[in-house]
Amino acid sequence: MIKFLQFRKFLTIAFALVLIALIYNQFDHTLKKAPIFNGQRRSTSRSMIELNVNVNSSASATVSPEICTGLADHLGYSTSCEFLKSNPHCSSDGLFDYLKFYYCSCNEGALGAIVLVIWLVALFYLLGNTAADYFCLSLQKLSSLLKLSPTVAGVTLLPLGNGAPDVFASIASFMGTNNGEVGLNSVLGGAVFVTCVVVGIVSICVAGQRVQIDKKAFIRDIGFFLFTLLFLLLILVIGKVSILAAGAFVSIYVLYAVFVAANEIVRKHVQKLKAVTPLIPLGVRIFSQEDDLLQSSLLDAENEADGYGYQNRNSLPEWMWASHVAIYSNQKFQEHERQLWGWHDDGIEVDQPWAKFWTVCSFLEFPLTFPRRLTIPLVEEETWSKPYAVASASLSPILLAFIFNSQDGLAPQIMIIVYVFGVIVGFALGTLAYLHTIPENPPYRYLFPWVLGGFLMSIVWFYMIANELVALLVAFGVFLKVNPSILGLTVLAWGNSMGDLVSNIALALDGGDGIQIALSGCYAGPMFNTLMGLGVSLLIGSWSEKPEPYNVPQDNSLYYTMGFLISGLVWTLVILLRNDVRPNKVLGIGLVGLYLVFLFVRLMSAMGVIPLVGL
């Protein structure tokens, strides 16, 4: 256990060092290049795909307006770096210019590739850690402040917390120019991975226990998911979507949530029993200190408020709010003994000779944690700090102003006004925070603005990190001469699904209701990501194109992905119904085998080894 914590510490330090190196490289390039280019402010945002070549008169090479097509061959240029310098529009769509870093700063060497791979892992970590340590905490308190019942919270805010990395990665890809196919492949690829690999491994692990899962809830989840995929398939076939159609797609989850909530309310009034009730996840057993099973109804939760009235002790268990992203968390969930991510670090002491070393190393983690602490309000007892609270209230508006000004085509006068407005608002909020908070504990009055601020700023950081992640994947597509959608289908889908894999397997091995919770999450989670991640993305796209319909990104390989996804769901439905809704090895081996076939077909098709119809 101690070795794992030390490895995690070293990994975090490596992430921070890579971030420092990228910042230094970007700053060095900024100093060397002229601030004015052809008399206009140079725009690097959203320009990787739309390559507007400004070729030197002495060079006769022409470049295709695709993903920097001429970069690899760099015809007419001695190196790829010279090509990039002569074509400034061929740049990464992110805070850092990964193309120049790899081709110019690292001369296409192995060191540059290693640094970027480490940074890719770091971005996955930052995405999950922001969800676990900031976003989910805000959602948990927001649920208590709004006095949501466990059922309503379980089908609204809870899936949003656990699915946030997938949802915002999808939205970020659609916000980029022509990167929508990355988001589509990421969400659907993640759904195939979870419903095949995770369900398959869980089924193999629990096959000997002969556990029977809730048949009605299972059919309900599978039915809604299949209907969602058929609706999405119809959108892809048509190729266009209006605001009404996108809204109808998103509303499927609203219908699902209402259906689940109504079902649970009926159960409550009919049964009147203190029993575990299927929810999303299906149910939960809380372990007492004597290891006795306490049947805790999620619907019969009574408000036992503390002295300040914002904490509901019998609401959804604390560990559920971040179950799928808990592997990225630095927080300790002390409400129950169940450890979803497979380790328990209470009571672990570091040897005295290493204590000072780890203290020094913790300062190296600052580049990863410090910016978020300065801009995301946190009102947790364990992490409360008045200086950080005042700083977050002051700097959040300035960060929002910076993001707003990163758009293309803004006049300098508008940018100045936005910055001045951000500074004024930040100064006002910082002053209020300083006057109405104390160092000893977080505020208990006017708590809602703090929680809402943490919720909104977490979303801002989600967008920033997810946008950087998509930009890096597109850059890797250029390096490897691979379509970025393949990287979305594999790397992005796997990275965002690691939390599901670890948490659901740990829950299943825990036995009892953990198996039902794990299998329920394997379908409710991907369905939420599909409806919210892709649905909101399509809604934003159609809104931006109104009154004309939004052109859905065309990628014929998505039909094969959806075919395998639907096949996996049908296989699961048939096998479980024939086996009295008991997971077995036949189900697990079949699902894992199906995913391996899917992965082999897609990769071989991408490399041109296996020709597929329509590709």
Side-chain angles (χ1 to χ4, degrees):
M1 175 62 209
I2 295 179
K3 290 183 178 180
F4 173 81
L5 292 178
Q6 292 175 350
F7 170 76
R8 187 176 180 181
K9 178 77 71 172
F10 275 124
L11 197 61
T12 307
I13 293 170
F15 296 161
L17 292 177
V18 168
L19 175 59
I20 294 173
L22 289 172
I23 293 175
Y24 172 79
N25 178 77
Q26 189 74 11
F27 182 72
D28 186 53
H29 276 299
T30 303
L31 289 180
K32 290 180 180 180
K33 69 183 181 182
I36 303 298
F37 188 81
N38 288 344
Q40 296 180 350
R41 179 176 177 267
R42 182 185 163 217
S43 171
T44 59
S45 178
R46 310 288 179 206
S47 58
M48 171 167 272
I49 308 297
E50 293 182 342
L51 181 58
N52 182 15
V53 182
N54 182 16
V55 183
N56 197 316
S57 58
S58 61
S60 59
T62 59
V63 182
S64 174
E66 296 179 358
I67 308 177
C68 299
T69 308
L71 180 59
D73 299 327
H74 51 82
L75 298 176
Y77 302 91
S78 58
T79 62
S80 297
C81 181
E82 291 297 325
F83 177 90
L84 288 174
K85 291 179 179 179
S86 299
N87 299 281
H89 291 278
C90 188
S91 60
S92 296
D93 178 18
L95 294 175
F96 306 112
D97 194 337
Y98 300 111
L99 295 181
K100 284 188 178 179
F101 174 79
Y102 180 72
Y103 286 109
C104 298
S105 301
C106 300
N107 295 320
E108 306 181 46
L111 178 61
I114 293 173
V115 168
L116 291 179
V117 169
I118 295 176
W119 180 235
L120 179 67
V121 178
L123 289 173
F124 278 117
Y125 166 78
L126 287 173
L127 204 59
N129 181 257
T130 302
D133 287 352
Y134 297 91
F135 191 60
C136 289
L137 295 178
S138 297
L139 289 179
Q140 184 181 2
K141 273 198 164 40
L142 194 61
S143 175
S144 298
L145 289 172
L146 296 176
K147 297 181 180 180
L148 299 180
S149 69
T151 302
V152 176
V155 296
T156 54
L157 298 182
L158 179 63
L160 180 59
N162 284 320
D166 305 84
V167 171
F168 287 99
S170 172
I171 294 174
S173 66
F174 273 83
M175 295 293 286
T177 307
N178 293 340
N179 287 342
E181 69 275 4
V182 177
L184 283 167
N185 279 278
S186 170
V187 172
L188 293 178
V192 178
F193 181 84
V194 173
T195 57
C196 288
V197 176
V198 179
V199 173
I201 294 177
V202 168
S203 300
I204 293 173
C205 292
V206 304
Q209 301 182 31
R210 299 287 297 167
V211 176
Q212 186 177 32
I213 64 176
D214 191 310
K215 181 177 180 179
K216 292 182 179 180
F218 168 72
I219 294 177
R220 176 199 65 202
D221 292 343
I222 290 285
F224 268 96
F225 200 8
L226 286 172
F227 179 72
T228 297
L229 294 176
L230 292 176
F231 197 126
L232 180 60
L233 182 62
L234 180 62
I235 292 176
L236 293 177
V237 170
I238 295 175
K240 296 181 179 181
V241 61
S242 63
I243 296 179
L244 183 61
F249 184 68
V250 174
S251 66
I252 294 176
Y253 192 82
V254 178
L255 179 64
Y256 174 73
V258 170
F259 183 85
V260 172
N263 180 62
E264 298 308 316
I265 291 173
V266 171
R267 281 176 179 265
K268 176 184 176 181
H269 290 286
V270 171
Q271 295 180 355
K272 298 291 185 180
L273 296 175
K274 293 268 186 188
V276 176
T277 330
L279 187 61
I280 304 178
L282 289 173
V284 55
R285 278 180 178 169
I286 302 173
F287 294 91
S288 67
Q289 296 295 333
E290 294 78 15
D291 292 330
D292 294 328
L293 295 179
L294 301 180
Q295 302 295 337
S296 175
S297 173
L298 295 177
L299 289 170
D300 210 21
E302 299 176 358
N303 291 330
E304 295 183 6
D306 62 10
Y308 299 100
Y310 68 85
Q311 193 173 22
N312 184 359
R313 300 178 58 133
N314 287 332
S315 60
L316 289 177
E318 182 181 351
W319 57 265
M320 288 180 66
W321 285 98
S323 60
H324 290 184
V325 290
I327 59 173
Y328 305 103
S329 177
N330 294 322
Q331 305 288 337
K332 294 181 181 179
F333 296 90
Q334 299 175 344
E335 184 177 345
H336 306 296
E337 290 183 351
R338 175 173 290 187
Q339 300 296 321
L340 300 186
W341 48 101
W343 62 77
H344 195 307
D345 55 0
D346 289 340
I348 294 178
E349 297 181 358
V350 180
D351 296 338
Q352 187 64 28
W354 289 93
K356 293 183 178 180
F357 173 74
W358 295 122
T359 302
V360 174
C361 289
S362 63
F363 286 101
L364 294 177
E365 300 180 29
F366 263 41
L368 295 179
T369 59
F370 193 56
R372 288 178 294 166
R373 285 301 309 272
L374 285 178
T375 52
I376 303 179
L378 279 179
V379 286
E380 297 296 312
E381 291 283 352
E382 298 80 7
T383 58
W384 169 253
S385 169
K386 180 174 181 177
Y388 275 125
V390 175
S392 63
S394 303
L395 297 179
S396 297
I398 300 177
L399 176 61
L400 293 176
F402 173 79
I403 295 174
F404 181 84
N405 285 338
S406 64
Q407 301 178 79
D408 295 333
L410 288 180
Q413 296 85 351
I414 299 296
M415 297 176 63
I416 294 175
I417 292 175
V418 171
Y419 277 127
V420 171
F421 180 76
V423 170
I424 293 174
V425 174
F427 178 78
L429 293 179
T431 302
L432 290 174
Y434 179 79
L435 294 177
H436 295 281
T437 57
I438 58 177
E440 289 77 15
N441 52 259
Y444 299 115
R445 297 181 59 191
Y446 309 111
L447 188 62
F448 185 78
W450 285 98
V451 176
L452 184 62
F455 172 78
L456 295 177
M457 292 309 299
S458 297
I459 291 178
V460 170
W461 273 95
F462 274 136
Y463 175 75
M464 294 170 59
I465 297 170
N467 185 67
E468 204 67 22
L469 181 59
V470 172
L472 181 55
L473 283 178
V474 174
F476 268 112
V478 176
F479 304 150
L480 303 174
K481 301 179 183 178
V482 174
N483 193 316
S485 62
I486 295 296
L487 298 178
L489 181 72
T490 54
V491 178
L492 189 55
W494 295 338
N496 285 334
S497 301
M498 284 299 104
D500 300 81
L501 178 65
V502 174
S503 64
N504 286 329
I505 291 178
L507 276 170
L509 293 177
D510 200 24
D513 290 326
I515 299 174
Q516 294 191 357
I517 297 173
L519 290 177
S520 177
C522 287
Y523 298 106
M527 182 171 63
F528 177 85
N529 297 339
T530 303
L531 289 170
M532 292 294 115
L534 296 182
V536 173
S537 300
L538 294 174
L539 192 59
I540 293 175
S542 59
W543 182 269
S544 64
E545 298 291 332
K546 67 175 184 178
E548 298 297 324
Y550 173 70
N551 292 319
V552 181
Q554 294 298 311
D555 185 355
N556 291 335
S557 64
L558 291 172
Y559 298 121
Y560 292 94
T561 302
M562 295 191 67
F564 277 98
L565 178 55
I566 294 174
S567 299
L569 295 176
V570 173
W571 170 263
T572 305
L573 185 64
V574 171
I575 296 299
L576 282 180
L577 292 181
R578 292 187 61 183
N579 197 44
D580 197 23
V581 207
R582 301 178 190 274
N584 57 14
K585 291 185 178 181
V586 174
L587 172 64
I589 295 174
L591 288 175
V592 174
L594 181 66
Y595 184 79
L596 293 177
V597 173
F598 160 73
L599 198 61
F600 175 79
V601 171
R602 287 301 311 271
L603 292 180
M604 292 299 101
S605 173
M607 292 186 293
V609 178
I610 300 178
L612 296 178
V613 178
L615 298 182

